[in-house]
């Protein structure tokens, strides 16, 4: 086939190209946008377990914590105001993602990253110098705007820059940076908690400026993606950039498909209304379902409130923070499993295995907490049981880290056609942030009322989402994002939503295999 491409099993072209130094470096720099998200996830739970922080901003919670331990420990940290401190960021990120969609489309992906980094930087400064709860909340809102912009632009950038056969690996670098941010925050919290004068929480919150500076400077060094350049009318620059990032001169097939996608996108004046058309039903469903399911795994119960959770189940201050460090390290290491397997094993296999692994761990953790604390919330973990819970938490985190963690960002970023891609990513980010907010706002109250049943609650959702993936998500590995419509057309269920007239790219290809059931390709 002309242009140095070949046809894969779903009838889509797989373009030639190699891992160039330029692609590798730009993707790593862009992926540092995940640091700001990860650092915040890790830091907020740690500072809310520090007595000096609680005494200054949440004295009622501190008094509850210091009360007689014979009282219900499930409700020890139940405070709407404390939950608002954690979750306000995600509500702000939800709102900002819609603004970020327009900026990402009209100004490019790198400008959106820069805006996110600078806003996050201001939020870190406000939080580091906070004098009252109002300053804390304002700082969190600014952090949220930064996260919204970064999470909107970075996954898109990575999916567009990467060759199709390496798209999964490079996109998972975003999740890797999130896990590194979480681990760094856990280590910093462990260190700052030892500061005698009680100012450690200021250092923890203020150091969020470091990842903000990294992504802000990094975004200035990035090249724009060929997709974005074509979308904004810079055809010659796009052609040159495509040659540079693919490392070959023969890029005509891929370039022509990008141009065709861009021409089709120009016919869409209002992507926010067009995205609800019947032909986009598969992608729209995934844009809602995948981020919703990602948050309802219960992972944020562990990552937001890990120190609080470990403290609640009987571990001391230092032990709870160290336990968070251990689970954070597991999170980083396990993400490498996804990096090296996502383009080989595929998205579906990792989703399904991770779901089964998380479910088993959640049921066992809930059972152990019930055994020790029962319905009253009184009791204490022995050292052996506490160690077993920590091991199960680590196994659970590992399952998430190589499945729903990275794939929750990768899959939505690679399935939308160019004409609605920014709008689709905004929906993904907004749904993710909405349910991150809901879980963050409700968790401590849910723990108080559902007790050990909270883990069974999330475990039930893991069963539902695993079944959903089995039946409704086709395999998307190694498929160029401009050819992704062929994957949906061949799916046993989604194919009925896409007519032959809706396929404008790759019409010269055979549709290949007949449709197969249960989401296979």
């Amino acid at each position: 086939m002309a242009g140095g491409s070949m046809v894969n099993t779903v009838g889509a072209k797989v373009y030639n190209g190699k891992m160039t130094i330029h692609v590798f470096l730009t993707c790593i720099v862009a992926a540092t946008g995940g640091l700001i998200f990860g650092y915040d996830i890790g830091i907020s739970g740690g500072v809310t377990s520090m007595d000096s922080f609680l005494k200054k901003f949440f004295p009622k919670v501190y008094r509850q914590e210091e009360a007689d331990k014979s009282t219900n420990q499930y409700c020890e940290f139940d405070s709407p105001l404390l939950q608002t401190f954690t979750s306000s960021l995600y509500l702000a990120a939800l709102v900002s993602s819609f603004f970020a969609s327009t900026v990402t489309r009209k100004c490019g992906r790198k400008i959106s990253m820069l805006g996110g980094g600078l806003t996050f930087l201001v939020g870190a400064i406000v939080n580091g110098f906070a004098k009252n709860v109002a300053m804390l909340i304002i700082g969190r809102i600014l952090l949220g705007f930064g996260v919204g912009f970064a999470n909107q632009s970075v996954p898109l950038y990575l999916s567009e820059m990467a060759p199709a056969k390496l798209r999964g690996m490079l996109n998972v670098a975003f999740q890797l940076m999130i896990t590194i941010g979480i681990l760094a925050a856990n280590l910093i919290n462990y260190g700052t908690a030892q500061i005698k004068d009680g100012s450690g929480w200021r250092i923890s919150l203020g150091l969020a400026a470091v990842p903000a500076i990294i992504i802000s400077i990094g975004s200035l060094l990035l090249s724009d993606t060929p997709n974005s350049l074509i979308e904004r009318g810079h055809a010659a620059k796009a052609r040159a950039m495509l040659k540079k990032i693919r490392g070959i001169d023969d890029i005509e097939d891929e370039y022509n498909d990008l141009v065709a996608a861009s021409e089709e996108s120009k016919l869409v004046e209002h992507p926010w209304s067009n995205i609800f058309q019947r032909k986009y039903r598969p992608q729209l469903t995934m844009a809602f379902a995948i981020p919703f399911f990602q948050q309802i795994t219960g992972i944020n119960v562990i990552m937001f409130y890990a120190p609080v959770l470990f403290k609640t189940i009987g571990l001391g201050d230092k032990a709870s923070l160290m336990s968070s460090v251990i689970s954070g390290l597991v999170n980083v290491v396990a993400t490498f499993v996804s990096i090296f397997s996502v383009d080989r094993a595929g998205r579906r296999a990792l989703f399904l295995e991770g779901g089964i692994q998380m479910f088993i761990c959640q049921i066992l953790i809930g059972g152990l907490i019930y055994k020790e604390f029962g319905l009253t919330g009184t009791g204490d973990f022995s050292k052996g049981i506490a160690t077993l819970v920590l091991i199960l938490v680590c196994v659970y985190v590992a399952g998430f880290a190589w499945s729903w963690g990275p794939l929750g960002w990768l899959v939505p970023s690679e399935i939308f056609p160019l004409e609605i891609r920014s709008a689709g990513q905004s929906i993904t980010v907004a749904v993710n942030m909405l349910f991150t907010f809901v879980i963050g706002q409700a968790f401590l109250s849910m723990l108080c009322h559902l007790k050990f049943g909270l883990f069974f609650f999330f475990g039930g959702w893991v069963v539902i989402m695993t079944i959903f993936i089995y039946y409704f998500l086709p395999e998307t590995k190694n498929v160029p994002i401009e050819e992704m419509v062929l994957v949906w057309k061949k799916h046993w269920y989604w194919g009925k939503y896409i007519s032959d007239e809706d396929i404008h790219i790759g019409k010269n290809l055979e549709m290949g295999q007949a449709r197969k059931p249960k989401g296979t390709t």
Side-chain angles (χ1 to χ4, degrees):
M1 179 175 287
S5 63
M6 57 185 291
V7 180
N8 69 9
T9 57
V10 299
K13 288 173 283 189
V14 179
Y15 306 108
N16 290 332
K18 55 188 178 182
M19 171 73 84
T20 63
I21 294 296
H22 183 82
V23 166
F24 179 77
L25 292 178
T26 54
C27 285
I28 293 300
V29 171
T32 58
L35 287 175
I36 64 176
F37 191 29
Y39 186 87
D40 180 79
I41 290 173
I43 215 69
S44 56
V47 297
T48 54
S49 72
M50 295 182 187
D51 288 344
S52 58
F53 179 81
L54 292 176
K55 281 192 285 188
K56 182 173 180 61
F57 297 105
F58 306 97
K60 181 180 177 182
V61 175
Y62 177 73
R63 289 193 296 270
Q64 289 175 199
E65 180 191 355
E66 294 300 304
D68 184 355
K69 296 302 180 183
S70 64
T71 60
N72 188 346
Q73 293 190 57
Y74 289 126
C75 302
E76 187 176 356
F77 288 87
D78 185 18
S79 166
L81 188 60
L82 180 59
Q83 291 169 157
T84 299
F85 162 73
T86 299
S87 60
S88 57
L89 179 148
Y90 302 97
L91 190 60
L94 186 162
V95 174
S96 70
S97 66
F98 295 106
F99 296 101
S101 171
T102 301
V103 173
T104 301
R105 188 178 191 192
K106 294 185 178 297
C107 303
R109 285 54 168 152
K110 58 180 289 183
I111 295 299
S112 187
M113 290 183 218
L114 176 62
L118 293 176
T119 309
F120 196 90
L121 175 60
V122 176
I125 294 171
V126 172
N127 269 352
F129 289 98
K131 301 293 184 183
N132 49 51
V133 174
M135 282 188 71
L136 280 179
I137 301 300
I138 291 171
R140 296 287 293 174
I141 290 172
L142 290 170
L143 294 176
F145 272 86
V147 167
F149 271 82
N151 287 6
Q152 160 73 20
S153 52
V154 172
L156 284 186
Y157 185 93
L158 295 172
S159 286
E160 291 179 349
M161 288 294 280
K165 62 183 180 180
L166 299 174
R167 187 176 62 244
M169 179 182 75
L170 291 175
N171 198 290
V172 171
F174 177 66
Q175 178 68 19
L176 177 63
M177 291 297 178
I178 292 176
T179 64
I180 291 173
I182 293 172
L183 177 61
N186 289 336
L187 288 168
I188 289 169
N189 279 335
Y190 185 76
T192 57
Q194 319 303 318
I195 297 176
K196 300 297 184 182
D197 64 4
S199 64
W201 63 267
R202 288 194 185 277
I203 297 173
S204 291
L205 294 179
L207 283 177
V210 175
I213 291 171
I214 291 173
I215 184 57
S216 297
I217 295 176
S219 65
L220 296 174
L221 304 176
L222 294 175
S223 310
D224 249 327
T225 68
N227 313 62
S228 180
L229 289 169
I230 291 175
E231 189 176 31
R232 292 181 288 125
H234 305 294
K237 290 182 180 179
R239 185 189 293 271
M241 180 56 61
L242 193 58
K243 289 183 179 181
K244 185 175 183 179
I245 66 176
R246 295 294 177 256
I248 57 176
D249 292 327
D250 192 5
I251 46 84
E252 289 308 308
D253 268 2
E254 184 172 5
Y255 177 78
N256 289 336
D257 273 353
L258 292 179
V259 171
S262 178
E263 291 301 317
E264 185 175 358
S265 74
K266 290 176 182 177
L267 302 176
V268 179
E269 295 182 10
H270 306 289
W272 282 104
S273 59
N274 282 68
I275 200 171
F276 292 98
Q277 291 181 6
R278 179 181 173 86
K279 64 180 178 179
Y280 301 128
R281 194 69 50 78
Q283 298 97 322
L284 182 62
T285 300
M286 295 301 162
F288 276 99
I290 289 178
F292 165 72
F293 285 140
Q294 186 193 51
Q295 295 311 308
I296 210 71
T297 57
I299 186 62
N300 286 331
V301 171
I302 303 299
M303 293 305 171
F304 282 168
Y305 298 110
V308 172
L309 180 64
F310 288 129
K311 204 170 179 180
T312 298
I313 62 176
L315 301 179
D317 293 358
K318 291 183 180 180
S320 67
L321 288 171
M322 180 51 69
S323 299
S324 300
V325 171
I326 294 171
S327 61
L329 183 61
V330 170
N331 198 16
V332 173
V333 173
T335 302
F336 281 99
V337 174
S338 185
I339 287 177
F340 293 112
S341 63
V342 67
D343 290 316
R344 295 181 176 88
R347 284 62 159 156
R348 280 169 50 82
L350 291 178
F351 266 134
L352 297 175
E353 190 283 331
I356 294 170
Q357 183 171 327
M358 288 189 292
F359 171 74
I360 293 172
C361 291
Q362 284 166 316
I363 298 304
L364 292 176
I365 292 171
L368 287 171
I369 293 177
Y370 170 68
K371 179 177 179 295
E372 298 299 320
F373 289 90
L375 294 172
T376 63
T378 58
D380 198 6
F381 270 151
S382 66
K383 185 176 180 180
I385 296 296
T387 301
L388 180 57
V389 169
L390 177 58
I391 292 172
L392 288 171
V393 165
C394 289
V395 175
Y396 164 83
V397 168
F400 179 86
W402 61 54
S403 63
W404 280 91
L407 299 180
W409 294 107
L410 166 61
V411 173
S413 74
E414 67 183 359
I415 62 176
F416 280 96
L418 183 62
E419 64 267 21
I420 56 168
R421 190 168 299 153
S422 291
Q425 183 67 10
S426 284
I427 291 174
T428 298
V429 173
V431 173
N432 189 295
M433 294 300 111
L434 173 62
F435 286 98
T436 305
F437 167 77
V438 170
I439 297 299
Q441 185 66 22
F443 164 66
L444 292 175
S445 297
M446 291 171 70
L447 179 61
C448 182
H449 292 91
L450 294 180
K451 304 175 175 62
F452 62 88
L454 182 63
F455 291 91
F456 299 153
F457 170 80
F458 287 121
W461 277 107
V462 170
V463 171
I464 293 171
M465 58 203 258
T466 302
I467 293 172
F468 175 85
I469 291 297
Y470 181 74
Y471 283 102
F472 294 106
L473 182 70
E475 183 56 67
T476 57
K477 71 173 183 177
N478 299 333
V479 180
I481 54 179
E482 307 308 337
E483 300 280 351
M484 200 65 70
V485 64
L486 298 176
V487 174
W488 301 107
K489 178 63 177 174
K490 289 176 55 58
H491 188 266
W492 72 275
Y493 179 78
W494 299 119
K496 66 185 179 182
Y497 290 96
I498 303 169
S499 67
D500 291 340
E501 290 73 27
D502 294 327
I503 302 175
H504 304 293
I505 295 176
K507 279 192 171 181
N508 57 319
L509 299 172
E510 292 287 330
M511 280 304 297
Q513 300 167 313
R515 296 180 195 167
K516 294 182 179 180
K518 298 182 181 177
T520 58
T521 57

